[in-house]
Amino acid sequence: MRRNLFLIFSLLMAASMAAQVEVLADNRAQRFHKVFPAGQYSGITHIKDSLFAVVTDDEAGFAFHLWALDLDDESGKIERAEYLGRRGDGTEERHDLEGIAYNPYTNTLFISNERDHTVVELDMDGQRTGRQIDLPGDIRSAISRNSSLEALSYDAANHLLWTGIEGTIRIDGEQPSATNGEPALCRLFAYDDSLRLVKTIRYRTEPPSKRKAARTYALGISEIAAVGDGRMLVMEREVRVPQRFIGSTATVRIYLIDAENTKEGEVADKQLVTTIKTRVNLVRQNWANYEGMTLTPMRGDGSRTLVLVADSQARFKGVLRDWVKTIHLCFGSR
C-alpha cells in the first residue's frame, strides 16, 4: 500500500512539473550572415518590441550590438533580421563579455565580464553609469580560470538582477573535466535595484555524458532567463572537442527552476524543458555553441519565445556559424 501511494505521489508530482512549461514549437536554427557581422555572440536580452541587444565575448571596451528580430506570433520563428549598430564606451581594453540584461525601469543594460568577475551597468548610448557589481571576496578568490560570471538576467516583476558563476568554485568542490565525471555545482546570486546582494542559491548540472579525454571540455551554466514569477530558465552547456575536432559535440539542456522558493544556499530542483545537441562530423556541421538566451514578453495567448544565440568564434575557419534559434513556449501556473 505504501509503495502504491509513493508511486501515485511521484506520478502526480511529475504531471505537475510537466504542466509548468510546454514547448509549442522548437524551430530550426537560422543564420543571418549577410545581416549581422561575424561575432562571438555570448549573450542576448530583449529590450522592447523587436529590439534586442547582444554582446560578444572578445570586445574592445564595454559595448553591445543592437539587433531587430521580427518573430512570428504563432511559432516564434524569426521572419526578419536587421543590424542596428554597435554602442560602446570607446575604450580599447579587451574584455570577455558573457551576459547582458536589460532593466526597463532605468533603461540601462547590465553586462557581465568574465575576465574580472564583475557586472557593469551601461546606458543605452553604451556609456558606463558608474555602477557595478563585484562578487564577494571569498567567491572571487575561489573562481577557476575561464569559469566565472556568464549567466545574467533581470527579473523585472521582482526587481532582481540574477547572475551566476559558470562552473564549480574551489571551495565547493572539483571543477568538471573530460574524465573526472563530476557535475558542476554552480552558484546563482540575486541583487536588488540598489545592487545589494540579497540571495544566493546553488544549482547542480548533470554529470558529464562520458569520460573520455578531449582537447577542450566545458560543463556548466552558460545562461539564465527570468520568467518573471520567481521561476527561471537555466541553460546547461556541455562542450566536448576531441583532438582532431571531428566528432565535436555541443549539448545544451534548458531547465526550469523555482528560484524564489529555493531557500538560501540550497540546491534548486529542476525540470527539463528541452535538449539541443549539435555536432561536427564528416557529413554534418551544425555545431552550435549556444551561450546566450532571453525571453520575449508574454503574448495574448500566454506564449513566449525563447531566443538563443551561439558563439561561432567569429565563424571559425568558415565552418562554424552564428546560429540564432527560437523556441516557442507556454508557461503554466506554478
Side-chain angles (χ1 to χ4, degrees), residues 80-217:
R80 185 188 71 91
E82 182 182 357
Y83 182 66
L84 302 176
R86 177 187 183 274
R87 298 181 184 179
D89 63 2
T91 59
E92 294 300 321
E93 181 182 359
R94 308 302 295 190
H95 298 292
D96 187 1
L97 308 183
E98 294 288 352
I100 185 168
Y102 176 67
N103 183 335
Y105 302 109
T106 56
N107 194 34
T108 56
L109 292 161
F110 288 95
I111 295 177
S112 57
N113 183 9
E114 190 172 43
R115 191 155 294 165
D116 67 0
H117 323 310
T118 62
V119 177
V120 171
E121 186 181 42
L122 303 182
D123 63 26
M124 290 304 296
D125 292 323
Q127 301 304 304
R128 297 181 63 162
T129 68
R131 298 206 310 160
Q132 73 175 48
I133 288 171
D134 292 284
L135 289 173
D138 61 330
I139 302 296
R140 290 171 59 89
S141 62
I143 294 174
S144 301
R145 182 179 177 272
N146 199 34
S147 188
S148 180
L149 293 177
E150 287 226 8
L152 196 64
S153 184
Y154 184 73
D155 182 347
N158 293 293
H159 291 262
L160 291 175
L161 178 67
W162 283 91
T163 187
I165 296 174
E166 178 184 9
T168 307
I169 61 176
R170 286 186 289 271
I171 57 178
D172 285 342
E174 188 175 0
Q175 185 76 4
S177 73
T179 58
N180 68 7
E182 291 293 325
L185 180 59
C186 311
R187 297 199 188 198
L188 297 173
F189 308 94
Y191 291 81
D192 64 17
D193 282 341
S194 64
L195 303 188
R196 179 176 61 94
L197 179 62
V198 294
K199 188 174 186 179
T200 302
I201 63 175
R202 298 172 191 247
Y203 180 94
R204 182 177 284 108
T205 70
E206 296 301 294
S209 56
K210 57 184 175 182
R211 297 188 185 187
K212 187 176 182 180
R215 180 190 185 100
T216 302
Y217 182 80

Side-chain angles (χ1 to χ4, degrees), residues 32-78:
F32 304 95
H33 287 193
K34 295 181 178 180
V35 178
F36 301 139
Q40 300 181 39
Y41 298 115
S42 52
I44 183 169
T45 188
H46 179 259
I47 298 177
K48 64 178 180 178
D49 302 326
S50 62
L51 184 62
F52 295 79
V54 300
V55 288
T56 179
D57 67 12
D58 184 18
E59 188 75 77
F62 285 92
F64 56 89
H65 302 259
L66 293 175
W67 291 1
L69 299 174
D70 290 341
L71 307 180
D72 179 73
D73 284 341
E74 294 185 0
S75 69
K77 183 179 179 180
I78 301 170

